[in-house]
């Protein structure tokens, strides 16, 4: 089970008369030189929603945030079916660093969409890298797309596709729900 955890970080302005710029950020976990999402490999009888909470608590050290199911990703690798129930999480800036583990990095996510897919840049305190995801229309009568990995940059496996799916879900839900309030503090 994986969790895409979004927050908002501030980028300082060089002009003292301007407020800092607010940027979408994603929490990435760095292991062996590559980045992945907070995740939990089920070793016991735990329901999927509880696994998402364990993924956040065990991988990052964060607690008390909004989580909803995003999608179940699957693939076949060496005749083995890989199933990854994935959740979308949102956190306010006041809680972003409370108990955060050393190998976890809030990374600014810059996304550029074009007709063929997405080109993205990820920047954190250690480094900056890019990745790409292509998209292909599934059916002419819908707006449903199939995403495929392009250049992964420093991301592990299908993390690039999962990030784009989570971004699209968040972008769509902002238009018809109050989900974005989960990224804001008590005062805003």
């Amino acid at each position: 089970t994986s969790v895409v955890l979004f927050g908002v970080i501030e980028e300082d302005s060089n002009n003292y008369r301007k407020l800092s710029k607010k940027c979408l950020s994603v929490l990435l976990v760095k292991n062996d030189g590559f980045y992945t999402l907070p995740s939990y490999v089920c070793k016991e009888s735990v329901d999927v929603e509880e696994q998402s909470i364990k993924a956040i608590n065990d991988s990052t050290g964060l607690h008390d945030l909004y989580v909803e199911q995003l999608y179940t990703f699957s693939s076949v690798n060496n005749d083995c079916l890989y199933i990854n129930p994935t959740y979308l999480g949102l956190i306010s800036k006041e809680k972003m660093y409370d108990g955060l583990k050393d190998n976890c990095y809030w990374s600014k996510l810059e996304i550029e969409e074009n007709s063929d897919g997405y080109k993205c840049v990820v920047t954190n305190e250690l480094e900056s890298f890019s990745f790409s995801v292509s998209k292909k229309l599934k059916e002419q009568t819908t707006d449903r797309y199939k995403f495929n990995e392009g250049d992964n940059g420093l991301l592990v496996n299908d993390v690039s596709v999962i990030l784009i799916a989570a971004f699209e879900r968040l972008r769509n839900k902002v238009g018809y729900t109050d989900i974005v309030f989960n990224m804001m503090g008590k005062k805003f």
Side-chain angles (χ1 to χ4, degrees), residues 137 139-143:
L137 191 61
E139 300 172 22
Q140 292 294 348
T141 58
T142 69
D143 264 350

Side-chain angles (χ1 to χ4, degrees), residues 3-184:
V3 179
V4 179
L5 189 53
F6 286 126
V8 175
I9 57 174
E10 294 185 18
E11 194 173 73
D12 290 332
S13 172
N14 292 334
N15 185 338
Y16 72 91
R17 289 183 252 168
K18 291 187 177 184
L19 293 174
S20 57
K21 181 180 174 183
K22 310 295 188 254
C23 304
L24 180 67
S25 63
V26 63
L27 185 66
L28 297 174
V29 180
K30 188 167 187 177
N31 289 318
D32 300 324
F34 291 94
Y35 292 95
T36 189
L37 298 170
S39 59
Y40 177 78
V41 177
C42 186
K43 300 174 189 120
E44 56 198 85
S45 296
V46 177
D47 71 27
V48 179
E49 190 167 337
E50 192 174 330
Q51 289 179 35
S52 70
I53 301 302
K54 283 183 166 286
I56 295 166
N57 295 345
D58 296 352
S59 296
T60 69
L62 298 174
H63 299 278
D64 302 326
L65 48 112
Y66 174 81
V67 178
E68 73 174 43
Q69 190 166 13
L70 171 64
Y71 190 75
T72 300
F73 293 89
S74 65
S75 62
V76 176
N77 189 2
N78 296 331
D79 294 331
C80 183
L81 177 62
Y82 168 74
I83 298 174
N84 184 5
T86 306
Y87 282 75
L88 170 65
L90 303 175
I91 190 168
S92 67
K93 68 179 182 177
E94 288 84 14
K95 296 180 182 178
M96 289 174 69
Y97 295 96
D98 288 346
L100 189 65
K101 292 187 176 181
D102 291 340
N103 65 332
C104 297
Y105 299 93
W106 283 106
S107 304
K108 181 170 89 170
L109 186 59
E110 297 174 277
I111 300 174
E112 180 183 319
E113 183 178 9
N114 58 42
S115 60
D116 298 332
Y118 295 88
K119 292 185 181 186
C120 307
V121 177
V122 176
T123 306
N124 60 37
E125 60 196 61
L126 293 181
E127 56 206 329
S128 182
F129 62 92
S130 60
F131 69 89
S132 62
V133 173
S134 65
K135 67 180 181 181
K136 182 179 176 185
L137 191 61
K138 281 185 175 183
E139 300 172 22
Q140 292 294 348
T141 58
T142 69
D143 264 350
R144 295 184 58 208
Y145 289 92
K146 172 155 178 56
F147 298 111
N148 294 307
E149 294 176 307
D151 174 22
N152 277 348
L154 296 175
L155 298 174
V156 174
N157 300 329
D158 56 351
V159 171
S160 58
V161 171
I162 294 171
L163 283 174
I164 293 302
F167 169 74
E168 282 203 337
R169 170 71 61 84
L170 181 61
R171 179 175 64 181
N172 291 335
K173 286 194 83 166
V174 163
Y176 67 91
T177 70
D178 62 356
I179 191 172
V180 75
F181 288 111
N182 293 293
M183 297 172 80
M184 297 180 180

